[in-house]
Amino acid sequence: MKETFKELVSSELRGLRAKYNYKQKEVAEKADVDIMTIVRYENNSTSMQLDMLEKIISVYGLSLANFFNIISANMQKKKESQVPEKEE
């Protein structure tokens, strides 16, 4: 099943948090947002607002452009890995 863009964003947020070894509470405090915002964004259970997303990813030193470039690159890698090899 193909992931939606929001699912990819949620997955990337969880991945960044794991990479930095942060707890959701730590990200919330550093981003100055409610912890439930982090939980909902990571679980893809709410509509995402760009200004809030920007606050969250700033914790990892990323801009929105950088963040979306990472997601785009990951999408491309997944797409390439799903292409069946040509038989000769």
Side-chain angles (χ1 to χ4, degrees):
M1 189 165 101
K2 188 175 179 180
E3 286 181 289
T4 67
F5 187 73
K6 273 182 61 180
E7 289 169 336
L8 292 169
V9 169
S10 295
S11 178
E12 190 62 35
L13 288 172
R14 287 189 307 274
L16 282 168
R17 188 170 54 78
K19 178 181 174 181
Y20 283 80
N21 201 29
Y22 287 156
K23 304 249 185 264
Q24 288 175 326
K25 182 179 179 181
E26 291 174 292
V27 175
E29 289 171 354
K30 290 175 184 293
D32 194 27
V33 299
D34 185 78
I35 188 170
M36 290 310 297
T37 299
I38 304 300
V39 171
R40 290 181 185 117
Y41 277 36
E42 287 188 5
N43 292 331
N44 189 26
S45 63
T46 190
S47 295
M48 295 182 188
Q49 298 175 354
L50 285 178
D51 60 334
M52 194 65 67
L53 182 59
E54 187 172 32
K55 288 176 84 169
I56 294 167
I57 63 173
S58 71
V59 170
Y60 309 109
L62 296 173
S63 67
L64 283 172
N66 296 132
F67 183 70
F68 290 133
N69 283 337
I70 291 167
I71 291 173
S72 179
N74 289 343
M75 288 172 64
Q76 186 63 34
K77 285 179 194 174
K78 285 182 182 181
K79 188 176 180 180
E80 289 170 0
S81 70
Q82 294 173 352
V83 174
E85 291 185 29
K86 291 182 181 179
E87 292 184 27
E88 294 183 34

